[in-house]
Structure formats: C-alpha cells, structure tokens
Amino acid sequence: GKEVKKPIENVPSRPPFFCSGCPHKEFFKALLEAKPNFVTGDIGCYTLGCLPPLSALDTCLCMGASIGKAIGIAKQGVKRVTAVIGDSTFWHSGIPALVDAVYNKADILVCILDNSVVAMTGHQPTPHFGLTVGIKETKRISLVEICKACGVDSVVEIDPFKKEEMVSALRKGLETPGVHVVISKRPCIFVAKKFKKS
C-alpha cells in the first residue's frame, strides 16, 4: 500500500480572510464604525466579514437571503438593520427582495458590495460590468438605476476606500426611515488588474 504521512504538528491555524487590498474589508470597517444593530449576510467572498477580527455579520443563510431576513428582523421592531449582499447575488436573487422591502415599507439599509464580478466562482463579469462571460462588449445595466426602479428612498454609490464618505452614508441610511441603498463600488483587485477597467 501507499505510505501515509503523518500531519505536521503545531502548525499555526490560518483561517480564511480577505485578499490584500480587497474593497470589502474596507466596507466592513466603515460599517462597524456606523454601528448597525443587526447585519444580515449572504453567500459570497464578502461572507468572510463574519470572521474575526471584523465579526461584522450576524447571519448567513443562502444566496439572496440577506434582504428578506433584514425585512423580517426590522418588522419585529429592531432598529438600524442592515442587509449586505454582493453585486452578483443582487442580480441573481436580490432584486425581488428589494421590491418586497419597498412594497412592505421596511426600515432597512441595503448594502450592495459591487466588485464588478462573481469573484467567488471565477471572476465572471456581472451585468453592469459591460462584458459578457465570453468577454465580449455588451450593454452595461446600472445598479443605481435598477435600485431606483425598485422604488427605494435613496441610493448612493461610494468607493469604500473613501472611509469618511462611506461611514457618513451608512449612518444616514441607518438613521432614516425607509429603504436605503449604499453601493460599495470598487472592482475586485484581481479584476482591476486583468481588465484594467472600473
């Protein structure tokens, strides 16, 4: 038979964390400073925000669940509720939930983390990137305009590396009744290098 090697002992643990220069890490630092009471999460590379040292997400269920969970939690009387969803997940299953939040008059802040790609599964472009999966030019579909069409009370797009601006927008969204959207917009560092395009 094949020789089985013993595992190396006393190797320090190295839990997963955001890549160096990842815009999501900067977003979460700003969100923690804005002091939400409850943060619902989704499936994506940004789910790493649940781990220490950030520990910024209170829930993670499945792709597209963050907005629906935020609606339910806010309807129970919890204030300053935030839903965090990635741009690709928003296109996949977040739009109906955003419509539901507006229609049912939820008081929530929805944060769309726009890194322009489906980063967790291979960096496929998303509908607002302007390229198809086959890397051919196509129409860009605006996240801002889609959110406006859903009827949200406000939507702003901010580079998460502009921390003061981001914290201010997050606080305003948390403190104002209604459905407010903050889009944290900065390409994944690997996409920025590959396509040299924002």
Side-chain angles (χ1 to χ4, degrees):
K2 204 172 184 180
E3 184 185 344
V4 178
K5 292 184 180 181
K6 282 186 171 183
I8 299 169
E9 292 182 20
N10 301 319
V11 175
S13 67
R14 188 173 178 222
F17 197 61
F18 292 109
C19 301
S20 294
C22 177
H24 297 342
K25 181 168 54 174
E26 300 310 309
F27 163 78
F28 279 118
K29 288 196 275 187
L31 181 63
L32 289 171
E33 197 169 312
K35 300 197 181 318
N37 284 336
F38 200 94
V39 182
T40 60
D42 247 299
I43 300 295
C45 56
Y46 52 94
T47 309
L48 291 170
C50 73
L51 298 174
L54 294 169
S55 304
L57 296 172
D58 294 305
T59 69
C60 175
L61 180 60
C62 63
M63 196 171 180
S66 64
I67 299 173
K69 288 185 292 181
I71 295 166
I73 290 162
K75 288 292 182 180
Q76 296 306 306
V78 179
K79 304 293 183 200
R80 301 174 72 86
V81 177
T82 304
V84 177
I85 188 167
D87 55 332
S88 54
T89 302
F90 180 76
W91 289 117
H92 176 77
S93 54
I95 296 169
L98 188 61
V99 170
D100 185 44
V102 171
Y103 181 74
N104 286 296
K105 299 183 176 185
D107 291 328
I108 62 171
L109 170 62
V110 175
C111 298
I112 303 172
L113 306 192
D114 174 10
N115 62 2
S116 300
V117 290
V118 190
M120 198 169 76
T121 60
H123 300 101
Q124 299 88 349
T126 52
H128 56 288
F129 191 66
L131 294 174
T132 66
V133 172
I135 315 302
K136 293 191 169 124
E137 292 274 338
T138 188
K139 288 185 179 182
R140 288 177 184 248
I141 303 170
S142 168
L143 270 175
V144 170
E145 294 304 317
I146 287 289
C147 291
K148 285 180 181 176
C150 290
V152 299
D153 296 292
S154 73
V155 56
V156 292
E157 197 173 62
I158 301 167
D159 182 336
F161 282 83
K162 295 180 177 175
K163 187 176 180 188
E164 287 182 19
E165 196 178 326
M166 179 61 82
V167 172
S168 175
L170 293 169
R171 282 183 178 147
K172 186 174 180 185
L174 286 166
E175 292 162 6
T176 311
V179 179
H180 301 279
V181 177
V182 171
I183 300 171
S184 175
K185 182 176 180 57
R186 190 175 185 104
C188 169
I189 56 167
F190 296 109
V191 172
K193 288 176 186 172
K194 184 175 179 181
F195 294 109
K196 291 188 172 46
K197 164 177 197 174
S198 60

